[in-house]
Amino acid sequence: MQRRYKGLTAAVAALGIAATLSGCGADGGSGDVTLKIVAADYGSNDDNTSKKYWDDLARAYERETPGVKIDVTVLSWKDVDREVAEMVERGEAPDLAQIGAYADYARAGKLYPVDTLVSVPTQANFLPRLRQAGEVDRTQYGMPFGASTRLMFYNEDLFDKAGVAAPPKTWDDLQAAARKLKAKDVKYPFALPLGSEESQAETMMWLLSGGGGYRDVTSTAYQIESPANVETLTWLKKNLVGEGLTGPVVPGDLDRQEAFDAFVKGEVGMLNGHPTLMETAEKAGVKVGKVPLPGIDGEAQATLGVADWMMAFQQNGHRKEIGKFLDFVYEDKNVLDFSDRYDLLPVTVTASDSMEADKKHAALRPFLEQLQGSELYPVGEKSWARVSESVKKNIGQAVAPNGDPRAVLETIAGDARAAEAAE
């Protein structure tokens, strides 16, 4: 979830990012302690910047906890991962970072295991899928912070005009609907963003819907060039792209942001989307229908789940202070406040149950249901960063007119093997 539809703000407090910490050793002690936090900005402007959320949270905690100060720097998604990496390289790691990936730091021995930080109830309350995704060698280092999943969105008005009676449940249904939309001059019958922005997500959704995926779920080994994956991309190339059903921009040049913008403008019949897009499109007057992703013979058995991560660095000590603050961060009221502000799904069991029971969140219930059975990126593997970059670089060629799906997947699989060998 590193790039949000709502937009990305400029870096906040770029100067003075190095931690200024006071206090004692690894287990805390006498004297005041300042916890340095670097967090990502989920807002689209100064009015809804995440800095406001963190400032409110920090001041509330400081009132309850004399002797502990919380110093938060909020940076845009385009900057935050790089800034934290540079801080760590300089030997100036923050106490806490809320960013996109944790595995490299965990494997380098720089993070506290979660069970040495938070209370047992806090750790046990993370949604099981997300808790497992935060593990490296069966030890949890990454704490989920904000989650999302995907459904297929469709424009109900465009469906009505094109005479599409029901949303698709299978790939054949999807192709038939796209043909009818194209016949009514819909600009993007099905928007297929396989450009460099976030094509690893779109690709994973399609691979899962075809019974494949990046990894073998039973062994966790990469299966990128599997027959199921080849068949999925071959179907896309022949039956959607080849028939001109994906719009005027070739999928390899279409970024997610551009596809989402077109959906909000009413130019897209169908695409894969997340809760933030749903709200934005509805505010723009688009009647949004949403269903699970179609599969070969019926609804896809799994869909993509995404989470961002909180992690605690060992460098400055403050283990006890960090743990107590995290117990506060993951209280239901704070998890729900963050989720409400940024149209995300809660990452804890009790907050999810609360959201599901609340009528005002009825539109999010399908996403909550999908999250329970979703599959996440293999973020616990150092190799994933290189695999993800290879997907973004190459996958558009798989569905190009002269593209070879098998050859492209074999290229990505080769990059995966090289990344694993380098670990």
Side-chain angles (χ1 to χ4, degrees):
M1 287 190 320
Q2 297 181 32
R3 288 167 290 276
R4 305 290 169 197
Y5 171 73
K6 285 186 173 179
L8 300 171
T9 60
V12 180
L15 298 176
I17 191 170
T20 303
L21 298 165
S22 60
C24 50
D27 291 327
S30 59
D32 290 346
V33 170
T34 297
L35 297 181
K36 175 69 179 182
I37 303 172
V38 178
D41 196 346
Y42 291 76
S44 59
N45 53 53
D46 290 343
D47 291 333
N48 69 351
T49 173
S50 298
K51 183 170 176 55
K52 290 188 175 182
Y53 170 81
W54 282 108
D55 284 347
D56 291 344
L57 194 71
R59 302 297 84 78
Y61 186 73
E62 289 171 350
R63 288 192 294 270
E64 293 184 9
T65 317
V68 176
K69 300 295 182 183
I70 308 297
D71 178 11
V72 184
T73 299
V74 176
L75 300 172
S76 74
W77 270 110
K78 67 181 179 181
D79 297 319
V80 67
D81 289 285
R82 173 180 49 79
E83 290 280 5
V84 170
E86 291 175 357
M87 292 172 70
V88 173
E89 187 175 351
R90 293 195 304 264
E92 299 171 350
D95 293 286
L96 288 162
Q98 186 271 297
I99 54 179
Y102 68 89
D104 283 2
Y105 302 120
R107 291 185 180 276
K110 296 182 181 297
L111 302 181
Y112 285 114
V114 174
D115 61 6
T116 69
L117 292 169
V118 301
S119 66
V120 171
T122 295
Q123 186 175 15
N125 198 26
F126 291 124
L127 289 167
R129 290 265 183 177
L130 302 182
R131 184 176 68 247
Q132 292 167 7
E135 294 178 353
V136 171
D137 297 332
R138 300 190 179 184
T139 297
Q140 186 183 0
Y141 294 94
M143 291 160 280
F145 192 87
S148 181
T149 188
R150 304 292 191 264
L151 293 170
M152 196 194 81
F153 290 3
Y154 62 96
N155 185 314
E156 293 183 353
D157 288 336
L158 294 181
F159 265 42
D160 288 344
K161 291 177 183 177
V164 181
K169 293 184 178 181
T170 68
W171 288 356
D172 286 345
D173 293 343
L174 189 152
Q175 181 190 37
R179 285 171 172 169
K180 290 182 178 181
L181 290 163
K182 182 182 180 182
K184 292 297 183 180
D185 297 321
V186 174
K187 188 173 183 179
Y188 294 90
F190 187 96
L192 183 66
L194 295 180
S196 61
E197 181 189 351
E198 202 177 21
S199 53
Q200 81 281 3
E202 186 73 18
T203 301
M204 184 168 172
M205 285 183 270
W206 276 99
L207 298 185
L208 290 171
S209 73
Y214 291 129
R215 296 198 301 175
D216 183 335
V217 295
T218 61
S219 68
T220 73
Y222 285 111
Q223 57 164 21
I224 293 169
E225 74 276 51
S226 70
N229 291 347
V230 173
E231 290 174 10
T232 294
L233 292 181
T234 300
W235 187 90
L236 278 173
K237 178 186 175 185
K238 177 182 178 182
N239 296 285
L240 287 189
V241 182
E243 290 198 14
L245 302 178
T246 54
V249 181
V250 297
D253 292 337
L254 183 66
D255 282 340
R256 188 188 68 165
Q257 180 74 58
E258 186 178 356
F260 281 13
D261 286 344
F263 188 78
V264 172
K265 293 176 185 177
E267 298 174 343
V268 175
M270 298 173 282
L271 53 59
N272 295 323
H274 57 55
T276 303
L277 173 61
M278 176 186 67
E279 181 181 2
T280 305
E282 288 175 344
K283 286 181 177 178
V286 177
K287 293 179 64 177
V288 181
K290 50 189 184 296
V291 292
L293 276 61
I296 299 174
D297 299 316
E299 292 178 4
Q301 297 301 304
T303 190
L304 171 68
V306 183
D308 300 321
W309 301 97
M310 176 75 77
M311 63 213 69
F313 287 90
Q314 296 179 1
Q315 180 180 319
N316 304 307
H318 308 146
R319 178 180 61 82
K320 288 184 178 179
E321 290 84 358
I322 291 170
K324 290 180 180 178
F325 177 65
L326 288 171
D327 283 337
F328 178 76
V329 168
Y330 285 103
E331 289 179 5
D332 280 0
K333 63 181 180 181
N334 297 322
V335 172
L336 288 168
D337 182 16
F338 182 80
S339 299
D340 281 343
R341 291 190 192 207
Y342 302 109
D343 305 310
L344 295 170
L345 304 180
V347 297
T348 64
V349 174
T350 52
S352 294
D353 289 345
S354 178
M355 177 176 280
E356 188 170 9
D358 190 338
K359 291 182 179 179
K360 76 176 183 179
H361 292 122
L364 290 176
R365 287 174 185 163
F367 294 97
L368 289 167
E369 293 171 2
Q370 290 285 303
L371 186 61
Q372 300 298 328
S374 65
E375 291 193 24
L376 283 78
Y377 300 131
V379 290
E381 305 296 332
K382 286 181 66 176
S383 58
W384 170 242
R386 183 168 173 181
V387 173
S388 176
E389 286 304 312
S390 183
V391 172
K392 288 187 281 188
K393 177 182 177 181
N394 295 299
I395 201 66
Q397 287 301 313
V399 298
N402 297 320
D404 183 337
R406 183 184 301 277
V408 170
L409 289 173
E410 287 175 348
T411 296
I412 298 168
D415 288 339
R417 287 190 291 271
E420 288 182 305
E423 288 188 7

